[in-house]
Amino acid sequence: MKFALHFGNNTFPDGAGAARLARLAEAAGFDSVFAVDHVALPERYESTYPYAPGGRLPGTQFTAMPDPLIWMAFAAAATTRLHLMTGVIILPLRNPLVLAKQVATLDHMSGGRIELGIGVGWLREEFEALGVPFAERGRRADEYVGAMRALWREDGASFAGRFVSFEGVTCDPKPLARAVPIIVGGHSEAAARRAGRLGDGFFPSIGAQVDTMPLFDVVRRSAEAAGRDPGAIEILAGCPGALPGSGQDPLEAVAERQRQGVDRIVLPLGAFLPDLEDSLPRFGERVIGAFAE
């Protein structure tokens, strides 16, 4: 079982805080830290935020949220083993060739410690501000995944799609393994099917207002239908019972997730505040150490 901390960049948006968090997480035995994403937040929006009971984003549009890739580069430079992941980047808002270059460079320079968590987005007004069509964003994301993987895999790459097309294009440096794990985020059946069809993992948000456990079976069925090995797709999930102060036995809570087929536990960073120097090592010793492979 692996363990991850969520909301790294908006909890510690400054350089000193990012380095402090990354080093403490690595020392405590966490596998990874996630960074969230929004390019531009409108003052007013009618879209419903699906990860909070009130349907509104926590905080305001003035809350600092550093670009996840730049924040991850800073955290990677402060560590040697910790993995960094976008949790999740809004893929349809990015040019896939530019993003492929950025992610490959970051993976190459960090020694292969980067994972790309992707989502299709929910905030229509953000898409409008960036001039990107909100409709068909799922199909656009599917194509972008294929295009990026082609660029990472080989020189002189070609890709022909409805939203992106190129021929004989080289994008170097390559990721260390000529691939970067793509973790599909989302709490819908469409996201689960996408994960099964083309993802390396599936991460339904830990704040989803629906029961996400049934989606794991959707992932597995979709993988089988696509001729893929369902067991090769990593399953990520939250675990409220493992959090400090939950009143539950964290070892039992994590063991239950393990029985459900979860491979990586994702925990909100806020549960470990304010004293990370105390809470992260204690969690690492008691919980992470108990499930170390």
Side-chain angles (χ1 to χ4, degrees), residues 84-121:
L84 287 308
M85 184 179 117
T86 54
V88 296
I89 203 166
I90 307 168
L91 183 55
L93 293 180
R94 264 65 181 195
N95 179 296
L97 281 80
V98 174
L99 182 60
K101 178 77 165 188
Q102 293 170 325
V103 172
T105 300
L106 187 49
D107 186 82
H108 179 83
M109 297 185 72
S110 69
R113 294 189 284 135
I114 302 304
E115 299 172 88
L116 189 65
I118 64 166
V120 301

Side-chain angles (χ1 to χ4, degrees), residues 204 210-218 220 236-238 257 260 262:
V210 297
D211 181 11
T212 57
M213 287 297 141
L215 295 177
F216 298 156
D217 287 333
V218 176
R220 297 175 183 114
L236 294 76
R257 282 287 190 259
Q260 293 168 339
V262 173

Side-chain angles (χ1 to χ4, degrees), residues 4-96:
L5 289 169
H6 202 358
F7 308 114
N9 60 332
N10 58 337
T11 305
F12 289 96
D14 62 291
R20 170 180 166 236
L21 165 63
R23 291 176 181 135
L24 286 169
E26 181 173 81
F30 283 89
D31 167 80
S32 44
V33 172
F34 296 177
V36 296
D37 177 46
H38 276 292
V39 176
L41 293 175
E43 290 186 17
R44 294 177 294 275
Y45 59 92
E46 296 181 2
S47 302
T48 299
Y49 177 62
Y51 305 118
R56 312 302 289 175
L57 270 167
T60 72
Q61 74 270 24
F62 305 114
T63 301
M65 189 182 298
D67 178 272
L69 296 178
I70 295 176
W71 188 92
M72 287 161 55
F74 201 100
T79 53
T80 58
R81 301 182 309 278
L82 187 73
H83 285 235
L84 287 308
M85 184 179 117
T86 54
V88 296
I89 203 166
I90 307 168
L91 183 55
L93 293 180
R94 264 65 181 195
N95 179 296

Side-chain angles (χ1 to χ4, degrees), residues 132-246:
V132 177
F134 190 69
E136 297 188 284
R137 62 196 185 282
R139 292 184 181 181
R140 187 181 296 270
D142 288 354
E143 282 196 15
Y144 286 8
V145 168
M148 290 190 297
R149 282 178 168 159
L151 292 168
W152 293 335
R153 186 173 53 245
E154 59 192 357
D155 292 329
S158 298
F159 186 87
R162 179 179 172 188
F163 301 104
V164 57
S165 182
F166 52 82
E167 184 175 354
V169 169
T170 295
C171 182
D172 285 331
K174 296 285 187 284
L176 206 64
R178 290 192 173 249
V180 172
I182 292 179
I183 312 299
V184 177
H187 64 288
S188 66
E189 287 203 9
R193 290 193 298 270
R194 178 172 294 109
R197 189 173 66 251
L198 54 77
D200 298 299
F202 178 55
F203 172 43
S205 172
I206 58 177
Q209 301 300 294
V210 297
D211 181 11
T212 57
M213 287 297 141
L215 295 177
F216 298 156
D217 287 333
V218 176
V219 172
R220 297 175 183 114
R221 291 196 301 269
S222 178
E224 289 176 348
R228 305 179 69 209
D229 176 11
I233 301 172
E234 184 184 17
I235 299 295
L236 294 76
C239 187
L243 296 175
S246 70

Side-chain angles (χ1 to χ4, degrees), residues 125-138:
E125 291 84 353
E126 184 177 20
F127 278 73
E128 292 171 350
L130 272 73
V132 177
F134 190 69
E136 297 188 284
R137 62 196 185 282

